[in-house]
Amino acid sequence: MKIKSILVSQPAPQGDSSPYLEMAKSEKIKIDFRPFIHVEGVDAKELRTQKIDLSHYTGVIFTSKNAIDHYFRLAEEMRFSVPDNMRYICQSEAIANYLQKHIIYRKRKISFGEKSMADLLPLFKKHHDEKYLLPCSDVVTEETTKILDQSGIDWTKAVMYRTVASDLSDVKIEEYDMLVFFSHQGIKSLFHNFPNFEQGDRKIAVFGITTQNAAEEAGLKIDVMAPTKENPSMTMAIEKYIRANNK
């Protein structure tokens, strides 16, 4: 079966420059974008049920931009004025820079790692006296909790938002020859929206080991996998597959 149409379970790329759009043009295929999941914030009442008092913490660990937005949203909702001397430890420089949306950056104590949680261990060792809060979603990776427990710091998890399945009732899933997933929540959303979904000849592309495991546990056959040494990006992997498959 030739691949003529692809559904990517993410928001459409901004602007006219995108590897997906270039691929659609070069391979003469249709590519649609639709987020299968979205984020919903918890309210102050729900945060209090977790026994979280924002004033009890002298440091905050941010692993995503979503975490930053929901931390400051709840701080405002709970009328907590975040002190100027709050320490921030961010998983990456991009996340640290995003703090400027909410604070005057130069006046704060901000540190960041290269990319992974393990990169933060030297920072935790240097700033071990703080009492840290980890604003996060309802799904925290095993790596995150393992690193934080190993670090020896005093830390507390605060679920401030949830990743939930989007309503896809208007999507005609049977019209697509390939579905592309980037998270295990996306796989869950597929079966939440289409409980009778059968793969048949439809091709499945997944990004990351966690997504791969979720797809396989759901009984899906994976046709395209990224990242790999040969195909570091999803578009490269899909394009290679299409060129081999559509001959």
Side-chain angles (χ1 to χ4, degrees), residues 120-181:
L120 303 183
L121 283 172
L123 298 176
F124 292 140
K125 187 175 181 179
K126 185 177 180 181
H127 308 294
H128 63 277
D129 292 332
E130 309 287 0
K131 187 176 173 66
Y132 288 101
L133 187 70
L134 175 74
C136 59
S137 76
D138 52 326
V139 180
V140 181
T141 66
E142 190 176 329
E143 181 202 16
T144 297
T145 54
K146 186 178 179 182
I147 293 295
L148 291 172
D149 287 340
Q150 285 178 350
S151 69
I153 59 170
D154 182 348
W155 72 281
T156 301
K157 179 178 79 171
V159 175
M160 295 189 172
Y161 56 99
R162 290 190 173 85
T163 303
V164 298
S166 299
D167 180 8
L168 306 175
S169 56
D170 61 318
V171 174
K172 295 180 180 178
I173 204 80
E174 68 279 359
E175 293 185 353
Y176 296 96
D177 301 322
M178 178 183 285
L179 306 178
V180 185
F181 297 95

Side-chain angles (χ1 to χ4, degrees), residues 57-199:
Y57 302 92
T58 59
V60 188
I61 302 164
F62 287 126
T63 59
S64 72
K65 294 175 182 179
N66 273 329
I68 292 175
D69 285 338
H70 288 285
Y71 172 78
F72 285 98
R73 173 185 62 80
L74 282 164
E76 185 176 355
E77 192 176 323
M78 300 173 85
R79 296 179 182 176
F80 170 65
S81 181
V82 182
D84 289 347
N85 64 350
M86 180 70 77
R87 180 169 299 285
Y88 301 99
I89 293 187
C90 303
Q91 190 167 332
S92 69
E93 186 176 7
I95 294 171
N97 288 336
Y98 189 74
L99 275 169
Q100 295 176 86
K101 179 180 176 182
H102 298 279
I103 63 173
I104 300 172
Y105 196 88
R106 66 181 182 275
K107 292 186 176 180
R108 307 300 175 108
K109 297 187 286 187
I110 302 169
S111 307
F112 53 85
E114 287 292 323
K115 188 177 180 182
S116 71
M117 281 299 294
D119 297 330
L120 303 183
L121 283 172
L123 298 176
F124 292 140
K125 187 175 181 179
K126 185 177 180 181
H127 308 294
H128 63 277
D129 292 332
E130 309 287 0
K131 187 176 173 66
Y132 288 101
L133 187 70
L134 175 74
C136 59
S137 76
D138 52 326
V139 180
V140 181
T141 66
E142 190 176 329
E143 181 202 16
T144 297
T145 54
K146 186 178 179 182
I147 293 295
L148 291 172
D149 287 340
Q150 285 178 350
S151 69
I153 59 170
D154 182 348
W155 72 281
T156 301
K157 179 178 79 171
V159 175
M160 295 189 172
Y161 56 99
R162 290 190 173 85
T163 303
V164 298
S166 299
D167 180 8
L168 306 175
S169 56
D170 61 318
V171 174
K172 295 180 180 178
I173 204 80
E174 68 279 359
E175 293 185 353
Y176 296 96
D177 301 322
M178 178 183 285
L179 306 178
V180 185
F181 297 95
F182 294 84
S183 70
H184 68 281
Q185 295 105 321
I187 300 291
K188 285 184 179 179
S189 177
L190 172 67
F191 288 96
H192 173 80
N193 280 280
F194 310 101
N196 299 318
F197 176 80
E198 292 184 8
Q199 182 174 353

Side-chain angles (χ1 to χ4, degrees), residues 7-12 32-37 166-171 176 180:
L7 180 60
V8 180
S9 60
Q10 281 192 329
D32 290 336
F33 299 88
R34 181 63 180 270
F36 273 41
I37 55 177
S166 299
D167 180 8
L168 306 175
S169 56
D170 61 318
V171 174
Y176 296 96
V180 185

